Short mmCIF file of all heavy atoms in Angstrom, two decimals:
data_model
loop_
_atom_site.label_atom_id
_atom_site.label_comp_id
_atom_site.label_asym_id
_atom_site.label_seq_id
_atom_site.Cartn_x
_atom_site.Cartn_y
_atom_site.Cartn_z
N ASN A 242 41.69 -34.26 14.01
CA ASN A 242 42.73 -33.95 15.09
C ASN A 242 42.49 -32.58 15.65
O ASN A 242 42.14 -31.65 14.95
CB ASN A 242 44.07 -34.02 14.48
CG ASN A 242 44.43 -35.38 13.93
OD1 ASN A 242 43.94 -36.41 14.38
ND2 ASN A 242 45.34 -35.35 12.81
N ALA A 243 42.75 -32.53 16.95
CA ALA A 243 42.51 -31.15 17.65
C ALA A 243 43.55 -31.04 18.84
O ALA A 243 43.81 -32.07 19.53
CB ALA A 243 41.10 -31.08 18.25
N PRO A 244 44.01 -29.81 19.01
CA PRO A 244 44.90 -29.63 20.16
C PRO A 244 44.10 -29.78 21.40
O PRO A 244 42.90 -29.38 21.49
CB PRO A 244 45.35 -28.12 19.93
CG PRO A 244 44.35 -27.58 19.01
CD PRO A 244 43.77 -28.63 18.26
N ASN A 245 44.64 -30.34 22.49
CA ASN A 245 43.97 -30.63 23.67
C ASN A 245 43.32 -29.36 24.36
O ASN A 245 42.24 -29.43 25.01
CB ASN A 245 44.82 -31.33 24.69
CG ASN A 245 45.09 -32.76 24.29
OD1 ASN A 245 44.42 -33.31 23.45
ND2 ASN A 245 46.19 -33.35 24.88
N ASP A 246 43.93 -28.19 24.14
CA ASP A 246 43.46 -26.99 24.78
C ASP A 246 42.24 -26.50 24.10
O ASP A 246 41.50 -25.60 24.50
CB ASP A 246 44.48 -25.88 24.95
CG ASP A 246 45.05 -25.52 23.54
OD1 ASP A 246 44.74 -26.30 22.53
OD2 ASP A 246 45.71 -24.45 23.45
N LYS A 247 41.91 -27.04 22.87
CA LYS A 247 40.67 -26.67 22.18
C LYS A 247 39.73 -27.87 22.06
O LYS A 247 38.68 -27.69 21.41
CB LYS A 247 41.08 -26.16 20.71
CG LYS A 247 41.94 -24.89 20.75
CD LYS A 247 42.19 -24.43 19.35
CE LYS A 247 43.08 -23.11 19.44
NZ LYS A 247 43.37 -22.67 18.10
N LEU A 248 40.03 -28.90 22.68
CA LEU A 248 39.29 -30.10 22.60
C LEU A 248 37.78 -29.94 23.00
O LEU A 248 36.81 -30.38 22.38
CB LEU A 248 39.89 -31.27 23.42
CG LEU A 248 39.52 -32.68 23.07
CD1 LEU A 248 39.70 -33.00 21.56
CD2 LEU A 248 40.35 -33.64 23.90
N LYS A 249 37.71 -29.27 24.18
CA LYS A 249 36.33 -28.95 24.67
C LYS A 249 35.38 -28.24 23.71
O LYS A 249 34.26 -28.58 23.58
CB LYS A 249 36.40 -28.23 26.05
CG LYS A 249 35.13 -28.12 26.76
CD LYS A 249 35.34 -27.46 28.13
CE LYS A 249 33.95 -27.34 28.85
NZ LYS A 249 34.14 -26.63 30.20
N ASP A 250 35.94 -27.26 23.07
CA ASP A 250 35.15 -26.36 22.09
C ASP A 250 34.80 -27.26 20.85
O ASP A 250 33.72 -27.20 20.43
CB ASP A 250 35.98 -25.21 21.65
CG ASP A 250 36.17 -24.18 22.77
OD1 ASP A 250 35.33 -24.24 23.75
OD2 ASP A 250 37.16 -23.49 22.74
N VAL A 251 35.73 -28.08 20.41
CA VAL A 251 35.49 -28.94 19.27
C VAL A 251 34.36 -29.94 19.63
O VAL A 251 33.41 -30.17 18.82
CB VAL A 251 36.78 -29.70 18.84
CG1 VAL A 251 36.46 -30.81 17.79
CG2 VAL A 251 37.83 -28.67 18.22
N ILE A 252 34.48 -30.64 20.72
CA ILE A 252 33.50 -31.65 21.08
C ILE A 252 32.03 -31.02 21.27
O ILE A 252 31.12 -31.66 20.87
CB ILE A 252 33.92 -32.41 22.38
CG1 ILE A 252 35.12 -33.21 22.07
CG2 ILE A 252 32.80 -33.21 22.94
CD1 ILE A 252 35.77 -33.82 23.37
N ALA A 253 32.04 -29.83 21.66
CA ALA A 253 30.78 -29.14 21.85
C ALA A 253 30.00 -28.96 20.57
O ALA A 253 28.79 -28.81 20.56
CB ALA A 253 30.97 -27.75 22.58
N LEU A 254 30.72 -28.93 19.49
CA LEU A 254 30.12 -28.76 18.13
C LEU A 254 29.56 -30.01 17.52
O LEU A 254 28.91 -29.98 16.53
CB LEU A 254 31.15 -28.13 17.18
CG LEU A 254 31.61 -26.65 17.57
CD1 LEU A 254 32.77 -26.32 16.66
CD2 LEU A 254 30.50 -25.65 17.47
N LEU A 255 30.05 -31.18 18.10
CA LEU A 255 29.71 -32.49 17.45
C LEU A 255 28.42 -33.07 17.92
O LEU A 255 28.21 -33.24 19.21
CB LEU A 255 30.92 -33.44 17.80
CG LEU A 255 32.22 -33.03 17.28
CD1 LEU A 255 33.36 -34.00 17.69
CD2 LEU A 255 32.17 -32.97 15.65
N PRO A 256 27.59 -33.39 17.05
CA PRO A 256 26.20 -33.94 17.40
C PRO A 256 26.13 -35.47 17.48
O PRO A 256 25.13 -35.99 17.38
CB PRO A 256 25.30 -33.44 16.21
CG PRO A 256 26.22 -33.53 15.03
CD PRO A 256 27.73 -33.17 15.58
N GLY A 257 27.33 -36.15 17.61
CA GLY A 257 27.47 -37.68 17.47
C GLY A 257 26.31 -38.47 17.96
O GLY A 257 25.36 -38.01 18.50
N MET A 258 26.38 -39.77 17.74
CA MET A 258 25.35 -40.69 18.10
C MET A 258 25.13 -40.64 19.63
O MET A 258 23.98 -40.60 20.09
CB MET A 258 25.65 -42.12 17.67
CG MET A 258 25.73 -42.30 16.20
SD MET A 258 26.45 -43.80 15.63
CE MET A 258 25.27 -45.04 16.23
N ARG A 259 26.13 -40.67 20.41
CA ARG A 259 26.00 -40.50 21.85
C ARG A 259 27.08 -39.42 22.25
O ARG A 259 26.68 -38.20 22.55
CB ARG A 259 26.20 -41.81 22.61
CG ARG A 259 25.05 -42.66 22.54
CD ARG A 259 25.12 -43.82 23.46
NE ARG A 259 23.92 -44.63 23.43
CZ ARG A 259 23.67 -45.85 23.95
NH1 ARG A 259 24.70 -46.28 24.76
NH2 ARG A 259 22.66 -46.46 23.84
N SER A 260 28.32 -39.79 22.23
CA SER A 260 29.39 -38.86 22.44
C SER A 260 30.62 -39.31 21.58
O SER A 260 30.70 -40.47 21.22
CB SER A 260 29.84 -38.85 23.85
OG SER A 260 30.28 -40.04 24.31
N PRO A 261 31.35 -38.33 21.14
CA PRO A 261 32.48 -38.70 20.20
C PRO A 261 33.56 -39.55 20.88
O PRO A 261 33.72 -39.57 22.11
CB PRO A 261 33.09 -37.42 19.84
CG PRO A 261 32.68 -36.47 20.87
CD PRO A 261 31.35 -36.97 21.38
N THR A 262 34.32 -40.36 20.14
CA THR A 262 35.42 -41.11 20.64
C THR A 262 36.64 -40.22 20.55
O THR A 262 36.94 -39.58 19.55
CB THR A 262 35.65 -42.40 19.77
OG1 THR A 262 34.51 -43.20 19.82
CG2 THR A 262 36.81 -43.15 20.30
N VAL A 263 37.38 -40.07 21.69
CA VAL A 263 38.58 -39.19 21.76
C VAL A 263 39.76 -40.15 22.14
O VAL A 263 39.76 -40.87 23.12
CB VAL A 263 38.38 -38.11 22.81
CG1 VAL A 263 39.70 -37.26 22.84
CG2 VAL A 263 37.24 -37.26 22.45
N LEU A 264 40.83 -40.07 21.29
CA LEU A 264 41.96 -40.88 21.46
C LEU A 264 43.28 -40.03 21.38
O LEU A 264 43.24 -39.12 20.60
CB LEU A 264 42.10 -41.95 20.39
CG LEU A 264 40.94 -42.96 20.22
CD1 LEU A 264 41.11 -43.83 18.98
CD2 LEU A 264 40.90 -43.84 21.43
N PRO A 265 44.26 -40.29 22.30
CA PRO A 265 45.44 -39.37 22.32
C PRO A 265 46.26 -39.75 21.00
O PRO A 265 46.38 -40.84 20.59
CB PRO A 265 46.14 -39.85 23.56
CG PRO A 265 45.65 -41.19 23.83
CD PRO A 265 44.25 -41.25 23.41
N LEU A 266 46.90 -38.67 20.49
CA LEU A 266 47.84 -38.95 19.36
C LEU A 266 49.27 -39.08 19.84
O LEU A 266 49.55 -38.79 21.03
CB LEU A 266 47.80 -37.65 18.42
CG LEU A 266 46.51 -37.48 17.61
CD1 LEU A 266 46.62 -36.23 16.73
CD2 LEU A 266 46.21 -38.66 16.66
N ALA A 267 50.12 -39.60 18.99
CA ALA A 267 51.49 -39.85 19.40
C ALA A 267 52.13 -38.47 19.72
O ALA A 267 53.08 -38.37 20.63
CB ALA A 267 52.22 -40.43 18.22
N GLU A 268 51.68 -37.43 19.02
CA GLU A 268 52.24 -36.09 19.27
C GLU A 268 51.60 -35.59 20.59
O GLU A 268 50.42 -35.39 20.63
CB GLU A 268 51.90 -35.16 18.12
CG GLU A 268 52.56 -33.71 18.33
CD GLU A 268 52.30 -32.84 17.15
OE1 GLU A 268 51.96 -33.42 16.06
OE2 GLU A 268 52.44 -31.56 17.25
N GLU A 269 52.37 -35.19 21.58
CA GLU A 269 51.79 -34.75 22.81
C GLU A 269 51.02 -33.40 22.68
O GLU A 269 51.38 -32.65 21.90
CB GLU A 269 52.99 -34.45 23.83
CG GLU A 269 52.47 -34.33 25.25
CD GLU A 269 53.73 -34.22 26.28
OE1 GLU A 269 54.81 -34.62 25.81
OE2 GLU A 269 53.44 -33.76 27.34
N GLY A 270 49.88 -33.45 23.42
CA GLY A 270 49.01 -32.30 23.39
C GLY A 270 47.98 -32.26 22.31
O GLY A 270 47.25 -31.28 22.16
N TRP A 271 47.88 -33.39 21.51
CA TRP A 271 46.98 -33.50 20.52
C TRP A 271 46.08 -34.73 20.71
O TRP A 271 46.57 -35.77 21.25
CB TRP A 271 47.52 -33.56 19.25
CG TRP A 271 47.98 -32.21 18.65
CD1 TRP A 271 49.16 -31.57 19.05
CD2 TRP A 271 47.37 -31.37 17.77
NE1 TRP A 271 49.31 -30.35 18.38
CE2 TRP A 271 48.20 -30.15 17.59
CE3 TRP A 271 46.22 -31.50 16.89
CZ2 TRP A 271 47.84 -29.19 16.70
CZ3 TRP A 271 45.92 -30.46 16.09
CH2 TRP A 271 46.71 -29.29 16.02
N SER A 272 44.73 -34.75 20.25
CA SER A 272 43.95 -35.89 20.27
C SER A 272 43.27 -36.07 18.91
O SER A 272 43.09 -35.12 18.10
CB SER A 272 42.85 -35.65 21.37
OG SER A 272 43.45 -35.65 22.63
N SER A 273 42.82 -37.30 18.76
CA SER A 273 42.04 -37.63 17.57
C SER A 273 40.65 -37.84 17.97
O SER A 273 40.26 -38.53 18.97
CB SER A 273 42.52 -38.91 16.88
OG SER A 273 41.75 -39.39 15.82
N VAL A 274 39.65 -37.30 17.28
CA VAL A 274 38.24 -37.33 17.53
C VAL A 274 37.48 -37.99 16.45
O VAL A 274 37.64 -37.67 15.31
CB VAL A 274 37.67 -35.89 17.84
CG1 VAL A 274 36.28 -35.97 18.22
CG2 VAL A 274 38.45 -35.15 18.93
N HIS A 275 36.76 -38.99 16.79
CA HIS A 275 35.95 -39.77 15.78
C HIS A 275 34.45 -39.58 16.15
O HIS A 275 34.01 -39.69 17.37
CB HIS A 275 36.24 -41.28 15.86
CG HIS A 275 37.61 -41.57 15.59
ND1 HIS A 275 38.07 -42.68 14.97
CD2 HIS A 275 38.82 -40.96 15.96
CE1 HIS A 275 39.35 -42.74 14.84
NE2 HIS A 275 39.87 -41.75 15.41
N THR A 276 33.64 -39.19 15.13
CA THR A 276 32.18 -39.05 15.40
C THR A 276 31.39 -39.25 14.08
O THR A 276 31.95 -39.46 13.03
CB THR A 276 31.92 -37.63 16.02
OG1 THR A 276 30.61 -37.58 16.46
CG2 THR A 276 32.13 -36.57 14.92
N VAL A 277 30.09 -39.14 14.21
CA VAL A 277 29.12 -39.25 13.04
C VAL A 277 28.42 -37.91 12.99
O VAL A 277 27.81 -37.45 13.97
CB VAL A 277 28.13 -40.49 13.32
CG1 VAL A 277 27.09 -40.51 12.22
CG2 VAL A 277 28.97 -41.76 13.33
N ILE A 278 28.34 -37.43 11.77
CA ILE A 278 27.57 -36.20 11.49
C ILE A 278 26.49 -36.44 10.42
O ILE A 278 26.71 -37.11 9.44
CB ILE A 278 28.51 -35.14 11.06
CG1 ILE A 278 29.57 -34.80 12.10
CG2 ILE A 278 27.78 -33.86 10.57
CD1 ILE A 278 30.60 -33.73 11.67
N ASN A 279 25.32 -35.84 10.69
CA ASN A 279 24.21 -35.97 9.73
C ASN A 279 24.61 -35.18 8.48
O ASN A 279 25.13 -34.05 8.51
CB ASN A 279 22.95 -35.34 10.30
CG ASN A 279 21.69 -35.47 9.37
OD1 ASN A 279 21.68 -34.88 8.32
ND2 ASN A 279 20.83 -36.28 9.80
N LYS A 280 24.36 -35.81 7.28
CA LYS A 280 24.95 -35.20 6.04
C LYS A 280 24.25 -33.80 5.80
O LYS A 280 24.81 -33.04 5.08
CB LYS A 280 24.75 -36.21 4.92
CG LYS A 280 23.30 -36.40 4.38
CD LYS A 280 23.33 -37.29 3.08
CE LYS A 280 21.89 -37.28 2.51
NZ LYS A 280 21.84 -37.99 1.30
N ASP A 281 23.00 -33.65 6.23
CA ASP A 281 22.29 -32.38 5.97
C ASP A 281 23.02 -31.18 6.62
O ASP A 281 22.92 -30.12 6.24
CB ASP A 281 20.85 -32.48 6.37
CG ASP A 281 20.09 -33.49 5.52
OD1 ASP A 281 20.50 -33.67 4.34
OD2 ASP A 281 19.04 -33.98 5.96
N LYS A 282 23.72 -31.55 7.79
CA LYS A 282 24.37 -30.36 8.57
C LYS A 282 25.88 -30.47 8.33
O LYS A 282 26.62 -29.76 9.07
CB LYS A 282 24.01 -30.61 10.03
CG LYS A 282 22.51 -30.53 10.41
CD LYS A 282 22.27 -30.68 11.88
CE LYS A 282 20.78 -30.54 12.14
NZ LYS A 282 20.53 -30.86 13.58
N PHE A 283 26.29 -31.38 7.48
CA PHE A 283 27.75 -31.69 7.34
C PHE A 283 28.58 -30.49 7.17
O PHE A 283 29.49 -30.16 8.00
CB PHE A 283 27.94 -32.69 6.29
CG PHE A 283 29.33 -32.98 5.94
CD1 PHE A 283 30.15 -33.63 6.87
CD2 PHE A 283 29.99 -32.46 4.82
CE1 PHE A 283 31.41 -34.01 6.54
CE2 PHE A 283 31.33 -32.73 4.49
CZ PHE A 283 32.03 -33.46 5.42
N TRP A 284 28.34 -29.68 6.05
CA TRP A 284 29.31 -28.59 5.71
C TRP A 284 29.23 -27.47 6.81
O TRP A 284 30.32 -26.86 7.10
CB TRP A 284 28.96 -28.06 4.38
CG TRP A 284 29.43 -28.97 3.30
CD1 TRP A 284 28.64 -29.68 2.41
CD2 TRP A 284 30.79 -29.25 2.94
NE1 TRP A 284 29.42 -30.41 1.54
CE2 TRP A 284 30.72 -30.24 2.00
CE3 TRP A 284 32.03 -28.93 3.51
CZ2 TRP A 284 31.89 -30.78 1.31
CZ3 TRP A 284 33.25 -29.47 2.93
CH2 TRP A 284 33.07 -30.33 1.91
N GLU A 285 28.15 -27.24 7.35
CA GLU A 285 27.96 -26.26 8.39
C GLU A 285 28.82 -26.64 9.64
O GLU A 285 29.57 -25.72 10.11
CB GLU A 285 26.49 -26.10 8.76
CG GLU A 285 26.18 -25.14 10.00
CD GLU A 285 24.79 -25.24 10.37
OE1 GLU A 285 23.83 -25.65 9.56
OE2 GLU A 285 24.52 -24.91 11.53
N VAL A 286 28.79 -27.93 10.06
CA VAL A 286 29.56 -28.35 11.18
C VAL A 286 31.05 -28.32 10.86
O VAL A 286 31.83 -27.91 11.70
CB VAL A 286 29.10 -29.78 11.58
CG1 VAL A 286 29.99 -30.37 12.70
CG2 VAL A 286 27.61 -29.76 12.06
N ILE A 287 31.42 -28.73 9.61
CA ILE A 287 32.83 -28.79 9.29
C ILE A 287 33.41 -27.36 9.37
O ILE A 287 34.54 -27.15 9.84
CB ILE A 287 33.00 -29.40 7.85
CG1 ILE A 287 32.70 -30.83 7.81
CG2 ILE A 287 34.40 -29.15 7.29
CD1 ILE A 287 33.55 -31.68 8.69
N ASP A 288 32.69 -26.46 8.82
CA ASP A 288 33.18 -25.02 8.90
C ASP A 288 33.41 -24.60 10.33
O ASP A 288 34.43 -23.95 10.73
CB ASP A 288 32.23 -24.03 8.19
CG ASP A 288 32.21 -24.21 6.68
OD1 ASP A 288 33.19 -24.77 6.12
OD2 ASP A 288 31.18 -23.78 6.11
N GLU A 289 32.51 -24.89 11.17
CA GLU A 289 32.58 -24.58 12.63
C GLU A 289 33.76 -25.25 13.29
O GLU A 289 34.40 -24.67 14.17
CB GLU A 289 31.28 -24.89 13.37
CG GLU A 289 30.07 -23.97 12.96
CD GLU A 289 28.81 -24.35 13.58
OE1 GLU A 289 28.79 -25.48 14.19
OE2 GLU A 289 27.86 -23.59 13.49
#
């Protein structure tokens, strides 16, 4: 989950297969982001 005002920065960090899936949450101003991350870069990406 990410606040919409930080969504662009979050998506920029994601190396997904093509582009991540972004869905609005019930709580206004927030979105759910779904993606795939290579396990070799996993912890580094999670920290970022």
Side-chain angles (χ1 to χ4, degrees):
N242 299 329
N245 289 344
D246 60 348
K247 296 181 179 179
L248 199 54
K249 188 175 179 180
D250 293 336
V251 167
I252 290 173
L254 295 170
L255 298 174
M258 293 168 67
R259 286 193 178 170
S260 63
T262 300
V263 180
L264 301 170
L266 290 179
E268 183 178 346
E269 192 174 343
W271 284 78
S272 293
S273 174
V274 181
H275 300 217
T276 192
V277 173
I278 297 178
N279 186 290
K280 72 173 188 177
D281 293 334
K282 299 178 180 178
F283 173 73
W284 286 112
E285 176 187 337
V286 173
I287 292 297
D288 287 340
E289 292 176 347

